[in-house]
Amino acid sequence: MVFLNINATLPEKGRDLRLDLFRGVANWAIFLDHIPDNVVNWITTRNYGFSDAADLFVFISGYTASFVYARMMLERGFIVGATRLTKRVWQLYVAHIILFVIYIASISYLALRFGDSDMINEFNVAGLVDNATETLRQGLFLRFKPLNLDVLPLYIVLMGLFPPILWFMLRKPDLTMALSIVLWLVARHFGWNLTAYPAGQWYFNPYCWQVLFVFGAWCAMGGARRSMTLINSQITLYLCLAYLLFALIMTMAGRFPNLGAMFPEWLFSAFNPNDKTNLAPYRFIHFVVIVILVIRFVPKDWPGLEWKIFDPVIVCGQQSLAVFCVGVFLSFVGHFELSMSSGSLFAQLFVSIAGIAIMTTVAYYISWSKRQDKPLKPPAAAKPAATAAKAG
């Protein structure tokens, strides 16, 4: 199948270490943010602006999906590209189910072992006690999700619907982005969302969060490159910095009541609480501002990406799926450990550092293991012996 009138600009071949770096940062931040009453999670971005690691994770997922599968779709046809995307969706689904089973089994076991019935309610697994069969069935359909297991189902849905979006993105990237924005705004207006089990709706509304995924794809398909004049403008820089400062102030106002009381109620309530479920416009704009600044100041060939200090986080980004799953489970372990102990500052530091160390170790092991699966390069051919010197 040959594509005509391709208007998207595919990224240059070769790995973009910025994606690995920021995806690793997102995985570490998601792990820390999932541990409540943990002083270490004050280092994550959610405390200093409207967007957080979840926005970054979804954006990079859209960027990498288009980066990997667009070229395949162009070179080998839509069917091949779509089936490879479907294969990836299956891998994500299997990872989710494995994590789901281990997660709920661990929560149930520890709750019974220590007689902590509140844990079952806190992690949203009470349905397993009342109606285990139906609850597990709904889990297979992604409708039942224990606490902190919301991101992978969102990722699965967005990837599953991505083949026709990518097909259209290759032909009409700007129109695809515009339609995605319209869907997001319409879904917010009419309250569209998917239902959850046993009640409620999805924490990450797919109708809204798709705009970040498509935005990532649009940037990869030449949207960022076509916008370089705007990105490099001094006016854009000043506006971005001003918005980051405003977001910082409003976020801090929501964290500290005394600061929040200094602002008019209409202003404070417009940004607090932060509407994460339906991806509030101020949240999306905040993330777009961060993307603009990263594109401007961290180019693909930035020498700092080769610094050894970034190696652990880059490796975690390269093995993102496994590291994410391990991080979600470890966040539960960390939460349980802090709730059963004194929750001291030392305990918080230990749990946070140990968790990141385990995630990094897993990433390095998987990276090493994948290298072992590759065939060894044949040894270089021996140089021919030198010609014997002529006699006499």
Side-chain angles (χ1 to χ4, degrees), residues 310-331:
F310 291 136
D311 280 357
V313 69
I314 287 175
V315 174
C316 284
Q318 291 170 344
Q319 311 302 333
S320 179
L321 179 59
V323 170
F324 173 83
C325 292
V326 171
V328 169
F329 178 74
L330 290 176
S331 66

Side-chain angles (χ1 to χ4, degrees), residues 4-218:
L4 300 176
N5 301 321
I6 300 301
N7 294 310
T9 304
L10 270 64
E12 299 175 359
K13 290 185 177 180
R15 193 154 198 136
D16 189 340
L17 290 180
R18 292 177 302 178
L19 299 177
D20 297 326
L21 175 67
F22 288 113
R23 187 159 46 186
V25 168
N27 277 324
W28 286 10
I30 289 172
F31 161 71
L32 294 173
D33 288 341
H34 283 172
I35 305 176
D37 302 319
N38 178 23
V39 68
V40 182
N41 63 30
W42 271 96
I43 68 173
T44 65
T45 56
R46 72 171 183 175
N47 301 290
Y48 307 102
F50 299 135
S51 62
D52 61 23
D55 307 63
L56 179 58
F57 185 89
V58 174
F59 170 82
I60 293 180
S61 297
Y63 193 106
T64 53
S66 58
F67 182 89
V68 172
Y69 296 104
R71 196 176 303 276
M72 183 182 298
M73 197 172 281
L74 285 176
E75 295 175 351
R76 303 172 63 182
F78 174 77
I79 298 299
V80 173
T83 56
R84 296 308 88 192
L85 270 165
T86 304
K87 178 182 178 182
R88 181 58 176 169
V89 172
W90 174 249
Q91 293 172 341
L92 294 171
Y93 180 76
V94 170
H96 171 71
I97 295 302
I98 293 173
L99 176 61
F100 173 80
V101 171
I102 295 174
Y103 198 72
I104 61 177
S106 301
I107 294 171
S108 301
Y109 170 77
L110 291 174
L112 293 174
R113 175 69 175 78
F114 292 92
D116 188 356
S117 58
D118 292 338
M119 183 185 299
I120 292 178
N121 294 318
E122 181 180 0
F123 285 88
N124 191 32
V125 294
L128 289 170
V129 178
D130 302 326
N131 192 349
T133 302
E134 181 61 17
T135 300
L136 290 173
R137 189 179 75 86
Q138 294 294 338
L140 293 176
F141 288 109
L142 306 180
R143 294 187 64 224
F144 169 69
K145 297 180 288 294
L147 182 69
N148 297 334
L149 260 64
D150 303 281
V151 175
L152 267 184
L154 172 69
Y155 190 12
I156 291 168
V157 169
L158 295 179
M159 285 287 283
L161 297 175
F162 194 53
I165 296 174
L166 181 57
W167 181 88
F168 197 60
M169 175 75 74
L170 286 166
R171 292 170 174 253
K172 302 287 185 180
D174 294 339
L175 179 58
T176 305
M177 186 70 252
L179 292 175
S180 175
I181 292 174
V182 169
L183 174 59
W184 163 52
L185 295 176
V186 169
R188 283 184 53 83
H189 179 75
F190 290 104
W192 296 348
N193 198 347
L194 299 182
T195 58
Y197 178 86
Q201 298 178 316
W202 280 39
Y203 181 71
F204 292 102
N205 184 345
Y207 293 109
C208 296
W209 279 76
Q210 55 78 27
V211 75
L212 273 172
F213 193 87
V214 176
F215 178 55
W218 178 81

